[in-house]
Amino acid sequence: MNCKEIELRIFDYLEGQLSKQEVSQFEGHLTQCEACNRELKARKKLLDTLQVIPQEKPLPGHLDSFEQMLTREKHRLKKDDALKVQPLYWKRAFQIAASFLLLLLGYLYGEYRGTQLAHTQIVQLQEQSQQLKTNMTLAMLDNRSASKRIQAVNYSEEIKMPDNQVLEAIVGRLQKDDNVNVRLAAAASLSRFQENRLVKDAFISALETEENPDVQIAIIQFLVHIKDERSVTPMKKLLNQPEVPDYVKFQVNQGLDQIL
Amino acid sequence: MKRTGMLSIVFMLMCIVTNAQKEFKKSLSGISRIEIETGTSIFLKKGASNEIIIKEGCSNCGNEEEMDQEEFYEPEEDEKAKGLTAIYAGGEDNTGVGIYMEKDGEILRINDLKSFYKRKGLTIIVPNAVAIKMNCGNLGSANIQNITNELEINTTVGYIKLNNVTGPVTAHSSTGNIDAVFTSVNQTAPISISSSTGMIDVSLPSNTKASVELKSTMGSVYSNFNLIEPREDGLKAIGGHKSITGNINNGGVKIALKASIGNIYLRKK
């Protein structure tokens, strides 16, 4: 036997588990090897010490309660066995429901974000289109094509709150454009602004210069509608002009009745 | 035989020469717009070549009775004018047919220097590529055919007849009637037609897309189009209370027909 085999068999030897032949071989090596002797002594001491420590014994009640616990547990396991499929089913259903819920929430959130974004975009677009219409109105009002000038005036009708620059440009068309249709369109467009001082003044001064009966009638109708008393003098002046057609004078007389 | 042949050739040549005297041609390269100022009646139609052709007289325009009063017209050859040139208050005759022509960029301005009484009317043939602005003065009327470019026409007493046009059209007559037959309606720019005391009669193809505004201050409005009210807030401002607005075929380019006394007729073609 070599030292390694001795080390493996030390506890067997101390407890008397080895055969006679193994014992003689074991003891034969020990006489020759000082290291294994020391090891044997240390192990023997350990075993002796272990035997000195008293063995703990469970209290008598423990055994009973353990038995009871065991039967209880067995009983419960039996019961759970019957329900085994059920909880699994509910769990899966819950998982599916949860994933659906998550999906739905995600969709709703996305939708909300989307509409919010779309809403702000719409507002921006509306602002842009208003600005665009303002720019187009101003750019096209000087076009040499009468149809384009009318189109510009029509665009201005889609501007909710035109600034003074736009209003003045349209007033310019009402008073100075050489085409009757453009002047008529300008008068119709400006008729929306019944409270605007600039527009009222423009109509009053246009009445003094306008020579076309159609435009005269459009101007008279506006001034009568807003009941502006400053228009009485220029309207009365029209009545005294021989070149003004009778049907315009008829409108003037009707209008004067309404204002005064 | 030989003599007859010669004579006929001479006769043909003479015809061409006399025609050439009455006709004026000018190439329109680089021109996109023609502005015509005249006092006479004009028959304007589409030609095939890229040039403007102006001919004396027009067969189907103007008041026939007045046209026949030959004594108003200058004889072809005025013996007394020999050695003199006709001068006009309106400007220089730089075409030889009593018309002052001026090119201003892309615009060709045509000023008729002769008075209404000296003209039998004019026939003008233009290519389709040019927009037309035309003012027929106090008594002239306008008869326009097959022009599918933009038209801006003004008359005072004379009528305006537009046949086979597409717009954009801006037409006004103080007392004349305005008749317009559209083959289709150009959607790029609005159509506005107004007459103070004349009637307005407009025919549109039944599939025309348009937003229509019809207004006759003292006359009536007739139409066989189904004018659906786009909305009924009823808050449109003054003047508007007598105007009829509506969309045909879900709306499109704006068509405004306005009259003060005359009736308005809007027909399906």
Side-chain angles (χ1 to χ4, degrees):
Chain A
M1 270 193 188
N2 58 27
C3 292
K4 211 160 197 171
E5 286 169 319
I6 295 300
E7 204 190 338
L8 285 170
R9 287 177 171 80
I10 286 180
F11 281 114
D12 291 340
Y13 171 75
L14 285 173
E15 285 168 357
Q17 305 275 328
L18 297 178
S19 63
K20 276 183 186 164
Q21 199 198 342
E22 278 176 324
V23 170
S24 64
Q25 280 175 351
F26 191 89
E27 285 175 344
H29 179 81
L30 279 177
T31 52
Q32 294 162 29
C33 183
E34 191 59 24
C36 288
N37 254 323
R38 266 204 308 276
E39 188 64 30
L40 181 72
K41 275 176 193 154
R43 303 273 175 109
K44 196 169 177 345
K45 202 172 176 184
L46 177 68
L47 268 181
D48 291 344
T49 321
L50 279 175
Q51 254 145 31
V52 172
I53 300 164
Q55 203 178 352
E56 283 278 348
K57 277 189 181 170
L59 292 167
H62 277 172
L63 194 65
D64 283 354
S65 61
F66 175 74
E67 293 288 341
Q68 277 172 12
M69 218 162 73
L70 195 63
T71 42
R72 257 207 325 270
E73 200 62 26
K74 274 182 181 165
H75 190 67
R76 221 183 65 189
L77 273 174
K78 241 183 207 165
K79 237 164 118 181
D80 282 1
D81 256 9
L83 293 165
K84 209 167 190 174
V85 189
Q86 211 80 339
L88 234 157
Y89 171 76
W90 281 114
K91 204 174 167 190
R92 181 152 300 159
F94 178 73
Q95 280 172 344
I96 292 167
S99 51
F100 268 118
L101 195 70
L102 203 68
L103 203 69
L104 190 72
L105 280 173
Y107 171 74
L108 287 174
Y109 179 66
E111 186 85 327
Y112 171 71
R113 278 291 300 271
T115 38
Q116 243 196 352
L117 206 69
H119 186 70
T120 47
Q121 276 175 344
I122 286 167
V123 170
Q124 280 173 349
L125 278 176
Q126 276 171 343
E127 280 169 10
Q128 278 175 3
S129 97
Q130 291 279 306
Q131 190 57 45
L132 194 73
K133 274 168 188 152
T134 305
N135 292 345
M136 281 176 84
T137 301
L138 290 172
M140 280 166 59
L141 271 176
D142 291 327
N143 200 300
R144 64 178 178 221
S145 148
S147 182
K148 291 279 181 211
R149 294 201 295 276
I150 291 168
Q151 196 170 30
V153 173
N154 292 346
Y155 275 132
S156 79
E157 287 182 8
E158 290 167 34
I159 305 169
K160 279 179 201 137
M161 299 288 288
D163 51 23
N164 276 359
Q165 199 191 356
V166 173
L167 286 180
E168 276 165 14
I170 300 170
V171 164
R173 289 296 120 203
L174 171 68
Q175 294 176 341
K176 294 188 188 82
D177 203 288
D178 71 334
N179 188 294
V180 175
N181 289 327
V182 177
R183 296 206 294 275
L184 279 175
S189 171
L190 290 172
S191 298
R192 290 188 294 156
F193 310 104
Q194 295 160 17
E195 303 300 321
N196 190 305
R197 182 91 190 171
L198 184 110
V199 172
K200 286 191 210 176
D201 291 354
F203 271 91
I204 288 170
S205 68
L207 186 60
E208 306 207 21
T209 53
E210 183 59 57
E211 284 174 358
N212 180 279
D214 294 335
V215 188
Q216 282 174 336
I217 289 173
I219 294 167
I220 291 163
Q221 285 184 338
F222 174 84
L223 292 172
V224 168
H225 188 80
I226 61 167
K227 294 199 163 54
D228 195 323
E229 291 190 359
R230 290 180 299 157
S231 62
V232 172
T233 319
M235 275 165 74
K236 280 184 172 164
K237 220 188 262 177
L238 282 180
L239 290 176
N240 295 326
Q241 286 172 6
E243 69 271 19
V244 173
D246 286 343
Y247 57 92
V248 175
K249 289 180 177 165
F250 172 76
Q251 293 280 331
V252 170
N253 281 324
Q254 264 197 335
L256 285 173
D257 288 345
Q258 285 182 51
I259 296 175
L260 300 173
Chain B
M1 272 310 280
K2 213 176 176 185
R3 190 169 283 179
T4 352
M6 282 284 281
L7 268 174
S8 61
I9 288 168
V10 167
F11 183 71
M12 273 169 69
L13 273 171
M14 275 176 69
C15 278
I16 292 165
V17 168
T18 44
N19 265 345
Q21 277 177 344
K22 285 183 177 177
E23 196 173 295
F24 176 83
K25 281 187 190 182
K26 184 181 162 62
S27 165
L28 287 179
S29 59
I31 302 284
S32 66
R33 182 177 163 91
I34 298 177
E35 298 189 355
I36 303 166
E37 286 278 340
T38 181
T40 191
S41 295
I42 301 281
F43 176 48
L44 186 77
K45 61 179 184 179
K46 186 170 84 172
S49 63
N50 187 33
E51 56 185 6
I52 181 169
I53 303 166
I54 302 176
K55 290 178 186 167
E56 285 272 2
C58 64
S59 53
N60 50 354
C61 63
N63 190 325
E64 299 292 331
E65 287 164 38
E66 278 177 55
M67 286 292 142
D68 289 339
Q69 293 175 339
E70 287 288 336
E71 66 263 35
F72 282 117
Y73 301 118
E74 229 169 348
E76 291 286 320
E77 291 293 327
D78 188 348
E79 286 289 324
K80 289 188 170 185
K82 236 172 192 174
L84 306 174
T85 41
I87 54 169
Y88 303 95
E92 179 202 351
D93 176 9
N94 59 0
T95 57
V97 287
I99 286 171
Y100 171 69
M101 215 176 251
E102 173 195 50
K103 196 182 160 188
D104 177 10
E106 290 188 348
I107 305 173
L108 183 72
R109 292 209 171 84
I110 296 173
N111 249 337
D112 187 1
L113 303 169
K114 289 192 178 180
S115 77
F116 178 82
Y117 298 104
K118 297 287 181 191
R119 280 269 187 234
K120 299 171 188 169
L122 290 172
T123 299
I124 301 178
I125 301 168
V126 291
N128 205 34
V130 290
I132 304 287
K133 179 183 175 179
M134 193 157 86
N135 191 345
C136 293
N138 283 328
L139 297 169
S141 51
N143 187 349
I144 292 166
Q145 258 182 32
N146 302 330
I147 302 277
T148 50
N149 209 315
E150 189 181 332
L151 295 167
E152 184 184 335
I153 314 295
N154 280 299
T155 68
T156 309
V157 176
Y159 62 76
I160 299 176
K161 268 185 188 158
L162 308 174
N163 207 356
N164 295 339
V165 295
T166 58
V169 167
T170 308
H172 174 79
S173 177
S174 296
T175 59
N177 294 342
I178 302 177
D179 294 314
V181 178
F182 286 83
T183 47
S184 66
V185 171
N186 185 328
Q187 296 283 325
T188 55
I191 291 168
S192 305
I193 296 176
S194 65
S195 178
S196 303
T197 56
M199 292 183 295
I200 298 173
D201 191 324
V202 173
S203 302
L204 300 173
S206 57
N207 62 352
T208 303
K209 287 179 172 297
S211 301
V212 183
E213 185 187 347
L214 309 170
K215 184 184 162 193
S216 178
T217 311
M218 287 169 256
S220 306
V221 176
Y222 301 94
S223 179
N224 57 355
F225 271 107
N226 197 12
L227 292 166
I228 308 149
E229 290 289 324
R231 55 177 183 171
E232 294 197 15
D233 57 6
L235 287 173
K236 197 163 178 187
I238 65 110
H241 63 284
K242 277 175 188 164
S243 83
I244 297 158
T245 55
N247 289 334
I248 53 180
N249 296 311
N250 297 322
V253 74
K254 188 164 178 178
I255 298 180
L257 309 180
K258 294 176 185 175
S260 292
I261 290 187
N263 292 345
I264 294 173
Y265 307 88
L266 181 66
R267 307 169 193 276
K268 268 185 207 176
K269 211 176 68 173

